[in-house]
Amino acid sequence: MTKAKRLRYLFKSATVMVSLFALLAPLSAQAADPAVKAVRGSFFDFVDDPWKHVGKEEESARFLPDGMLVMEDGIIKDFGPYSELSSKYPKAQVTTVSDRIILPGFVDGHVHFPQTRVLGAYGLQLLPWLQDWIFPEETKYKDPEYAKVGVKHYFDNMLAAGTTTVQDFGTSFPNAVEAFFDEASRRNMRVICGIGGIDRNAPESFRTPPDMFYNESKRLIEKYHGKGRNLYAITPRFAYGDSSELLSMCGKLHKEYPDCWINTHVSENPTETRNAPLEHNTKDYLGCYEKFGLVGPKFTAGHGVWLSDSEFSRLNKAGASISVCPISNTFLGSGLFRLGRATDPNCRVRMTFGTDMGGGNRFSMIDVVDHMYKVGMCNNAMLDGSIDPRWHDDAESERNKLNAYRAFYSITLGGAEGLYLDDKIGNFKPGKEADFVVLDWKGGPPATAWHQSLICDKPATMKEAAQLLFGVMAVGDSRAVDETWVMGRRLYKKGSDFGLASTGTKSTNK
Ligand code: GUN
Ligand code: ZN
């Protein structure tokens, strides 16, 4: 070979090597990428509303007995059987979770963080309970230190209950809402909150004059809405406690910030349900919010125990949501929510389920579905919740029954849909945020281990998994929550303060 030929040959070989390297480099970089994390275990989630599949609810769910959830930067990158995905991601850091069922993180659509220290107050219906227990306690949140300690305690309890997303009522004091968003940001949780507007039927020191409410809401929207995972809800506390001026400020804020959520209460207790429409000169309770242009998508009202058929129908048409709060509705004696009516296929109303803690005396969404099962059974026994047997409707009666599919859908994907957050959370679809809860089906009170082992020791089919999940809600409780993960990071592990310590907080669940 001449010198010139040798040089040409060397040059060609080098070019080929460089091209090959350029081709392979991205592949090897991806395979070695330490940012790709995965969890291997049994997964259960939902792809549809089980009330659309009456009698065949399993069509709305997915169960992977040996699945793999692949995550990058806290976002779900892939999801499927381990046998298929393990070779696609050979270098992913895999955490294996055995003898557990993994579900999307629970969504609590209606809760009051400033009531953390007074849940379980004895013996009063809504209106005297607010005056005697709630307004005095929430007033303490004016003190920044009191608020700061309160929100830490609140989020510790939420994570220990498997809840990763909340729609919360801030109290009357903006500093408490700031403490809430700051603590949620430290944990990187997907949350919705806002100042609770109230300027009537409350002590003077607790009221939010309409101007102050408007200005402070605006300031907090600018500061927090859409920053990280924080979202702002314009929050008229309830029409019984709000003047027309305050509700019209809410309408004004809604026009200026159409992207924000709206959160309130409706038709919870008979006394306020009678009085709110009288004070706002409307035909019913929902009308108080309609009058100010508030009812539409991203509007949620808690409770809805005394809603008329007309109000259900208007909520359906508006694309608005009701938050179903059975623990609170029974604890405060408010009434029985008509689940079968809300899920009428001709007039389906979006729903979230909520603890309404402290009106609800539990933090746990597992307890919420346990209570809703019983409320549904009462309504079911009374045919459809109607008192007059001539209104009997078999199909409505059946829809009151909360089987495992309906229950766990309602606190995962259903909750996300109720909040218009189902593009971000609610199931294991790639592109969504990796929030999930690891359930130990034998982890409740002593009776659960025995009861659950009668069903099976390790679910191999969707039917077995659903039976175990029903056992978790009916025999177990939030002690079934073994781990809670937020954006691909484990923030709670039963029996340790792993994760919480790194946020500067300490677990209260030991
Ligand atoms: N209506 C207005 N405020 C409240 C509250 O704090 N809890 C409940 N359950 N209902 C309300
Ligand atoms: Zn409430």
Side-chain angles (χ1 to χ4, degrees):
M1 213 187 276
T2 63
K3 196 173 170 195
K5 264 190 177 167
R6 231 180 9 248
L7 272 175
R8 259 206 312 276
Y9 174 76
L10 273 175
F11 180 73
K12 260 193 183 160
S13 316
T15 314
V16 169
M17 295 278 284
V18 167
S19 318
L20 260 178
F21 184 76
L23 208 67
L24 292 176
L27 288 179
S28 55
Q30 185 199 21
D33 189 348
V36 180
K37 292 185 187 158
V39 171
R40 178 183 184 183
S42 298
F43 292 85
F44 198 112
D45 72 345
F46 292 86
V47 290
D48 202 3
D49 170 6
W51 275 281
K52 285 188 193 154
H53 302 261
V54 176
K56 295 176 284 186
E57 279 83 2
E58 64 282 357
E59 289 176 0
S60 64
R62 280 193 295 198
F63 176 59
L64 294 185
D66 186 13
M68 183 165 170
L69 184 76
V70 185
M71 300 164 284
E72 193 167 34
D73 295 331
I75 301 295
I76 299 170
K77 188 180 167 73
D78 218 336
F79 177 59
Y82 181 78
S83 57
E84 284 174 24
L85 294 194
S86 55
S87 53
K88 198 166 158 194
Y89 301 97
K91 298 272 173 67
Q93 292 175 13
V94 182
T95 304
T96 300
V97 176
S98 306
D99 301 327
R100 303 284 185 266
I101 301 179
I102 304 171
L103 269 76
F106 299 149
V107 177
D108 187 337
H110 183 111
V111 56
H112 299 252
F113 73 83
Q115 298 173 12
T116 294
R117 294 167 172 99
V118 282
L119 79 168
Y122 172 73
L124 293 170
Q125 295 255 336
L126 174 70
L127 298 177
W129 169 80
L130 286 171
Q131 301 291 341
D132 288 10
W133 286 101
I134 297 306
F135 298 149
E137 170 60 20
E138 292 195 15
T139 301
K140 296 181 189 160
Y141 276 69
K142 258 193 224 172
D143 170 3
E145 196 48 37
Y146 193 84
K148 219 167 136 185
V149 173
V151 291
K152 282 183 178 165
H153 187 58
Y154 167 79
F155 278 117
D156 284 356
N157 277 281
M158 279 299 176
L159 288 171
T163 299
T164 51
T165 285
V166 288
Q167 177 168 242
D168 244 282
F169 284 80
T171 184
S172 305
F173 311 104
N175 70 284
V177 179
E178 295 185 273
F180 171 91
F181 278 129
D182 291 344
E183 186 61 31
S185 305
R186 260 191 286 285
R187 300 176 196 233
N188 201 15
M189 291 172 70
R190 168 80 48 206
V191 296
I192 307 175
C193 189
I195 302 171
I198 183 166
D199 63 344
R200 289 185 325 167
N201 294 322
E204 194 64 41
S205 61
F206 193 71
R207 295 185 191 184
T208 54
D211 280 347
M212 170 273 188
F213 174 78
Y214 172 79
N215 291 330
E216 285 299 304
S217 298
K218 215 170 152 61
R219 181 176 73 78
L220 294 186
I221 291 169
E222 299 287 347
K223 184 168 175 189
Y224 291 106
H225 182 63
K227 308 281 161 58
R229 300 183 82 197
N230 298 319
L231 299 167
Y232 197 88
I234 300 158
T235 308
R237 188 163 183 144
F238 62 153
Y240 178 78
D242 296 332
S243 67
S244 297
E245 293 71 43
L246 195 138
L247 289 181
S248 81
M249 286 301 179
C250 292
K252 189 169 167 201
L253 285 165
H254 179 44
K255 283 211 181 83
E256 286 174 48
Y257 300 98
D259 186 41
C260 284
W261 275 248
I262 302 176
N263 189 25
T264 188
H265 294 84
V266 75
S267 303
E268 174 176 1
N269 172 282
T271 313
E272 51 136 18
T273 304
R274 268 194 303 275
N275 283 301
L278 295 177
E279 300 195 27
H280 290 281
N281 200 18
T282 55
K283 66 173 187 260
D284 52 30
Y285 206 139
L286 188 66
C288 306
Y289 304 117
E290 288 170 327
K291 186 171 175 179
F292 297 93
L294 300 176
V295 181
K298 292 190 182 175
F299 169 96
T300 307
H303 305 277
V305 172
W306 302 101
L307 290 173
S308 64
D309 291 353
S310 155
E311 287 168 299
F312 273 120
S313 160
R314 278 142 54 203
L315 284 162
N316 157 272
K317 287 205 180 81
S321 300
I322 285 294
S323 190
V324 182
C325 304
I327 304 185
S328 167
N329 295 341
T330 47
F331 192 78
L332 296 179
S334 301
L336 306 179
F337 180 75
R338 297 159 73 203
L339 187 63
R341 176 51 56 111
T343 49
D344 180 344
N346 298 316
C347 185
R348 175 72 155 90
V349 175
R350 284 175 188 253
M351 292 182 299
T352 66
F353 280 27
T355 57
D356 192 34
M357 189 283 305
N361 59 323
R362 293 283 186 275
F363 281 87
S364 160
M365 295 306 294
I366 293 174
D367 289 329
V368 168
V369 285
D370 176 28
H371 277 66
M372 194 58 221
Y373 176 77
K374 294 167 191 165
V375 170
M377 288 304 282
C378 288
N379 278 342
N380 177 257
M382 292 195 294
L383 308 176
D384 59 357
S386 54
I387 305 300
D388 187 331
R390 284 169 301 178
W391 301 338
H392 170 70
D393 177 340
D394 266 344
E396 178 169 340
S397 172
E398 192 284 330
R399 289 194 301 270
N400 280 307
K401 290 178 85 167
L402 202 64
N403 58 37
Y405 298 99
R406 291 171 176 177
F408 284 90
Y409 159 80
S410 297
I411 62 175
T412 57
L413 183 62
E417 288 168 348
L419 292 176
Y420 285 82
L421 286 177
D422 50 308
D423 58 330
K424 297 186 171 58
I425 55 167
N427 64 11
F428 297 123
K429 192 172 167 202
K432 292 198 186 185
E433 297 160 354
D435 295 346
F436 52 92
V437 54
V438 177
L439 294 181
D440 173 4
W441 56 86
K442 295 183 181 176
T448 35
W450 185 75
H451 172 271
Q452 300 284 60
S453 60
L454 294 181
I455 297 168
C456 78
D457 272 327
K458 201 177 172 73
T461 63
M462 176 164 329
K463 194 169 167 213
E464 284 174 346
Q467 281 176 324
L468 287 176
L469 286 175
F470 189 76
V472 166
M473 75 186 239
V475 185
D477 55 28
S478 65
R479 280 171 280 182
V481 174
D482 192 34
E483 298 177 7
T484 307
W485 292 58
V486 171
M487 288 291 276
R489 233 167 36 111
R490 190 171 69 171
L491 286 198
Y492 170 75
K493 168 74 186 164
K494 191 175 175 183
S496 82
D497 60 3
F498 174 87
L500 295 180
S502 67
T503 64
T505 65
K506 208 165 158 33
S507 169
T508 53
N509 297 290
K510 288 176 122 181

